[in-house]
Amino acid sequence: MKNRYHLSPSEEELSAGLTGFVREKLPTLCTSAHRGESPFPREVFDELGKLGLTGVSIPEELGGLHASSALQATIFDLLAQTDLGPAIFLSVHGMVSGLINRFGSEEQRKKLLPPLARGEQLAAFALSEPEAGSDAAALSTT
């Protein structure tokens, strides 16, 4: 498939490598055994970490890929072509990592981002409160 995003030559190269992973390995990892039984297939996340993709929004000096928006969209798009689940959990991981990078203290960034970039830890967030449900605009926690 021709990439619809404007990527640099190095981003095109990474995208091509991911395309091979998506076509050959991802289908074997995203089996029906993971659906409904295991809410999170750790093997998939581990493989994405080996590819460096768990650091999409983390600066290179902290072990990340610091991917452009176009490359991130390409990554999520390619993953979603095989299974939407990995695209969602990797995008949430990247979003939370990006928020830590942008708003965290220097100490938090140095402590939290390298293991997130390596895929040793999974970033996530909660979007629910008793009075707000999952209405993000009504949340009161800061």
Side-chain angles (χ1 to χ4, degrees), residues 99-110:
L99 290 170
I100 292 169
N101 182 55
R102 185 169 178 194
F103 298 108
S105 67
E106 190 62 27
E107 180 182 347
Q108 289 170 323
R109 292 174 75 244
K110 287 181 178 177

Side-chain angles (χ1 to χ4, degrees), residues 58-64 101 106 109-111 113-115 117-118:
I58 297 173
E60 291 178 23
E61 65 268 15
L62 294 172
N101 182 55
E106 190 62 27
R109 292 174 75 244
K110 287 181 178 177
K111 177 182 177 184
L113 294 179
R118 293 188 298 266

Side-chain angles (χ1 to χ4, degrees), residues 62-100:
L62 294 172
L65 183 60
H66 199 74
S68 68
S69 297
L71 181 56
Q72 289 187 48
T74 299
I75 291 167
F76 305 142
D77 188 18
L78 287 169
L79 290 170
Q81 289 175 32
T82 295
D83 191 313
L84 189 58
I88 292 171
F89 64 70
L90 186 64
S91 69
V92 170
H93 174 83
M95 178 186 62
V96 173
S97 298
L99 290 170
I100 292 169

